Amino acid sequence: MIAFFRRSAPWAAAATVAVLVAAACGGTSGGGGGGATTFKGTKKVGISVALTGQSQSYGQSIRNGLMLAADDINAKGGVNGYKIDLDVLDDGTDANRTADNVRQLILQDNVVALIGPVTTAQCQAASPLSKQNKVLLIAATCNAYQLTAQPQYVNPYYVSVVPNTFMEGAAAAQLAAKTGAKRVFIVSPKYLFGTSETNAFVAGLKKFAPGTQIVNDPATWYVPFVPTGITNWSPTINAIQSLKPDLVYSNVFAADQVNFIKAALQVDPKFFDKYPTETLASVDEFKTLGSSYPIGMRLYMRAPFFALTNSRMTDFVNRYRSKYGEYPSDWAVMDYDALQVWAQAAARAGSFDSDKVHSQIVGHSFQSLRGYSFTIRAADQQANVGETVGTTVDSGGKYPFPVLKDSTNLKGDDLIMPANIVEELRSGKCDFAKEAAGIAAFTTCPSWPK
Amino acid sequence: MDPGKLLLFTVGGLSTAAYLFIVSAGLSLVFGALRIINMAHGSLYMIAAFVTVAGAGAMGADLGFWAGMVAAVAVTGAVGALIEVTVLRRVYGQEHLVQLLGTFAITLIVAGAVRLVFGPGFRSMKPPALVNGSVSIAGYEYSIYSFFTIGVAVLIAAGIWLLLYRTPLGRNIRAAVSDPELLRASGVNVALLYTSVFVIGAALAGLGGVIVAPSQSVSPTMDTEVLVLAFAISVIGGLGSILGAVVGAVIVGEVISFGTVNPFLNQFALAFVFIVMAAVLTIRPWGLFGKPEQ
């Protein structure tokens, strides 16, 4: 557990900071009011996150983003007069450990809310416990649309502020269609996120680039998803070489993406020139590979700070760098937003009761670091957040990693699943079993255009 | 499948088979001579991989790899000697279950120690310049390092054969397999012989870890991943048979390689390996090239 203590700054400095904070907030800060903040007590917000294992780079960014959000919230007097303390447990990118951690967070540590773990597998483990114990779970990273639309997973206490797999699949398909590729090779992690996003991508291809051929058999699209990441990428690299696609579509991420890129460059330094690749990515993969991250990669990203410039983001980036000595990843940005959503809703509700806070989240709008406000709709408690697409280019020394050229920030409203499809999915009118056969469940809904 | 593709996937399978063989050969050698199923074999492989990556981090990929190779083999050999003297000598001749538990305890200790020393995350390194780069054959690119891996495995196989069949030590090892009591009666220090065999087996596990470090990521769970496959290979080929380790490793490596383009193999690649293992255990429990236990 990581506890956050108030700084032991001198009294005069604390008073000065408090006055400035009060001035900046226009005197509306909750709980503490003006002068040195006196809290009524502490409320814990819990997160089981991957600080080790396959997704450790994501988990560390998430923790950092949340810590900064908690600092900001507490500097403004906390929530309803209470200091917000983060309760962070490492799950090692292992869904079994997530379940144990979430049980501990809810039953022993008495957290008032949960922030979602990294992967969909972990959110699958966390969500039933959130539902059973009526503790709000705000997902900012895991994103299979099934988590909010498939009857067996639906949880009224689950809120998503991350573009889900339906939205990302559509964004990825639009990006692929722009390349004009006719022969696409697919590689994806074998679990709910991978199948969900890949099937949404394939459905999107049928809409945006109907003549496109998938060159590898659906049974070979997936690679195992293991807590420590795949060690041997040689078979996948050989498969790509043998099938000679115009475009490789990937949604492997974190350690897997890093190791895949390294292994491919070892086989052929021009691998990504010969086999143009489109993939889900984040600033974390950029930071890990630095200037070795290939140029010319078509990426779809959830919240890259360099493409979402606005004054709040600039301030966030500066403070993040000052505190952690590195640039914030997409996950830090989205998890910062997630904690702010909960804090604002709890403040509006004047309560930490999950039902009361929930009523202040669903149907309400929140300002995002991403430079726009998003609304969490009632149909599936999904935010209409956007996706950024573009092609990697050298940043010209501005950053120690590439950036996106001609990036486009696709709007959430243009990507989000139609509400009538959500309703049909939730009411069991669509065939989720088809997902295993490479067919997105939403395409089987009665209202989906055939 | 055109010949170019066939070669691509065959070489891919052989490069996987190469490091699996090196590790399996050590496991098999130890079982053949000592009748011990060493569950800590994967731990020695993992220690070596981490030592190599640490060496590369400290001295650069070039010097670090070669220095790491020497250091890793020396470290795993020394750890192997320590394990043999302190643990195995107390369980020789006992039931396999006792031996399994003894060596399994070592895997837990090593796993904790590796996390403590090297941290819980994964690491990686580049191949040394001498064997880095790629080569184009029949329109497909190959990593030079994959050929290096195959070459090392061939040398190891030849070295083990020479050791077993052309040296006094090898003659004693083979004699120990047949009748350790007779060997002891003829004046050979069997305890020292057993230690030597275990050190060689440990060093082979270490060499496997060194070889794999530049081509795959190094993580604290790589011990169990390799042990499962190495065990399957040894059972298929025959515990104690080096030729069996070669054949078993090639079968597993090629199934994994061709599985990425063959839907059937892809779905059942890992299951296929264990189905073969189960079939061999049923029909020929001592493995394809092993000998029945006396």
Side-chain angles (χ1 to χ4, degrees), chain B residues 12-281:
Chain B
L14 288 178
S15 68
T16 300
Y19 83 88
L20 289 175
F21 159 72
I22 296 170
V23 179
S24 305
L27 188 70
S28 207
L29 185 69
V30 167
F31 181 82
L34 278 59
R35 292 295 174 210
I36 287 271
I37 296 171
N38 179 21
M39 296 292 283
H41 201 66
S43 305
L44 297 162
Y45 160 86
M46 177 171 68
I47 289 171
F50 272 102
V51 167
T52 308
V53 173
M59 294 180 273
D62 286 339
L63 185 60
F65 178 79
W66 302 112
M69 180 181 278
V70 175
V73 172
V75 166
T76 49
V79 173
L82 189 68
I83 291 171
E84 201 278 337
V85 171
T86 58
V87 179
L88 298 189
R89 285 189 184 181
R90 286 158 178 74
V91 296
Y92 286 139
Q94 295 194 29
E95 288 177 27
H96 283 320
L97 181 63
V98 176
Q99 298 171 350
L100 284 173
L101 288 174
T103 53
F104 182 65
I106 296 166
T107 67
L108 298 178
I109 293 166
V110 171
V114 163
R115 281 175 190 268
L116 208 63
V117 174
F118 297 102
F122 74 92
R123 297 178 178 215
S124 61
M125 62 176 283
K126 286 181 181 174
L130 188 66
V131 287
N132 198 5
S134 59
V135 59
S136 186
I137 302 170
Y140 299 105
E141 298 294 325
Y142 295 78
S143 153
I144 291 172
Y145 193 79
S146 62
F147 291 107
F148 171 73
T149 307
I150 295 166
V152 169
V154 170
L155 284 176
I156 295 289
I160 294 172
W161 186 84
L162 285 173
L163 173 78
L164 289 177
Y165 295 98
R166 292 290 184 270
T167 66
L169 176 63
R171 191 177 59 236
N172 285 344
I173 291 171
R174 285 183 289 126
V177 172
S178 304
D179 194 340
E181 291 309 315
L182 187 63
L183 194 65
R184 190 173 285 115
S186 62
V188 172
N189 185 341
V190 174
L192 182 62
L193 179 71
Y194 279 6
T195 305
S196 304
V197 170
F198 197 80
V199 166
I200 293 168
L204 284 171
L207 197 57
V210 172
I211 294 297
V212 90
S215 61
Q216 300 185 13
S217 58
V218 172
S219 78
T221 56
M222 65 191 293
D223 54 346
T224 45
E225 289 165 22
V226 80
L227 185 69
V228 170
L229 288 175
F231 187 68
I233 287 165
S234 301
V235 169
I236 292 169
L239 275 162
S241 166
I242 300 303
L243 177 61
V246 172
V247 173
V250 169
I251 289 172
V252 172
E254 296 302 342
V255 165
I256 291 171
S257 182
F258 281 91
T260 53
V261 283
N262 183 299
F264 176 78
L265 282 181
N266 186 281
Q267 293 291 300
F268 302 105
L270 202 54
F272 180 77
V273 170
F274 292 103
I275 288 167
V276 171
M277 187 176 91
V280 168
L281 279 174

Side-chain angles (χ1 to χ4, degrees), chain A residues 153-406:
Chain A
Y153 297 124
V154 167
N155 166 12
Y157 296 95
Y158 187 101
V159 173
S160 170
V161 296
V162 55
N164 65 21
T165 49
F166 175 89
M167 301 162 81
E168 286 202 313
Q174 289 178 48
L175 185 61
K178 277 188 185 171
T179 67
K182 296 293 174 201
R183 292 167 47 79
V184 176
F185 180 98
I186 290 174
V187 56
S188 172
K190 192 173 189 176
Y191 74 110
L192 182 59
F193 160 75
T195 54
S196 178
E197 184 136 313
T198 299
N199 289 341
F201 168 75
V202 172
L205 272 188
K206 283 179 185 161
K207 179 178 175 186
F208 298 109
T212 308
Q213 178 200 355
I214 309 295
V215 296
N216 52 334
D217 189 283
T220 66
W221 289 352
Y222 299 102
V223 291
F225 183 74
V226 291
T228 49
I230 295 174
T231 52
N232 186 5
W233 281 98
S234 157
T236 302
I237 290 160
N238 286 344
I240 292 168
Q241 285 203 73
S242 76
L243 293 167
K244 299 192 184 306
D246 302 333
L247 184 73
V248 175
Y249 167 71
S250 145
N251 47 43
V252 298
F253 59 91
D256 285 336
Q257 183 175 135
V258 168
N259 289 328
F260 169 65
I261 289 173
K262 279 184 180 176
L265 292 176
Q266 200 180 104
V267 169
D268 184 355
K270 293 186 175 173
F271 186 88
F272 294 103
D273 297 330
K274 290 180 182 171
Y275 307 105
T277 299
E278 173 186 321
T279 183
L280 169 68
S282 75
V283 172
D284 270 321
E285 285 87 357
F286 286 5
K287 286 193 292 190
T288 306
L289 285 168
S291 58
S292 301
Y293 199 95
I295 299 304
M297 297 278 273
R298 280 81 168 169
L299 304 185
Y300 60 103
M301 305 177 75
R302 295 180 189 173
F305 71 88
F306 53 77
L308 295 161
T309 47
N310 65 80
S311 58
R312 280 191 69 210
M313 181 68 94
T314 304
D315 176 59
F316 173 76
V317 171
N318 289 338
R319 289 188 299 118
Y320 190 99
R321 286 190 72 201
S322 163
K323 185 164 183 173
Y324 303 112
E326 61 180 26
Y327 286 97
S329 79
D330 312 48
W331 322 108
V333 170
M334 290 188 297
D335 278 83
Y336 182 96
D337 275 352
L339 193 60
Q340 292 286 2
V341 164
W342 171 81
Q344 288 169 35
R348 280 183 207 153
S351 167
F352 295 104
D353 177 83
S354 286
D355 289 308
K356 290 178 180 167
V357 178
H358 179 268
S359 70
Q360 293 300 322
I361 292 180
V362 175
H364 291 263
S365 296
F366 298 86
Q367 192 63 35
S368 168
L369 281 181
R370 286 162 269 194
Y372 50 79
S373 71
F374 58 80
T375 304
I376 293 155
R377 68 179 181 185
D380 53 359
Q381 289 140 234
Q382 169 65 46
N384 58 341
V385 282
E387 189 87 12
T388 301
V389 296
T391 305
T392 52
V393 287
D394 190 292
S395 68
K398 192 172 180 184
Y399 305 108
F401 45 75
V403 290
L404 296 183
K405 181 180 73 172
D406 301 331

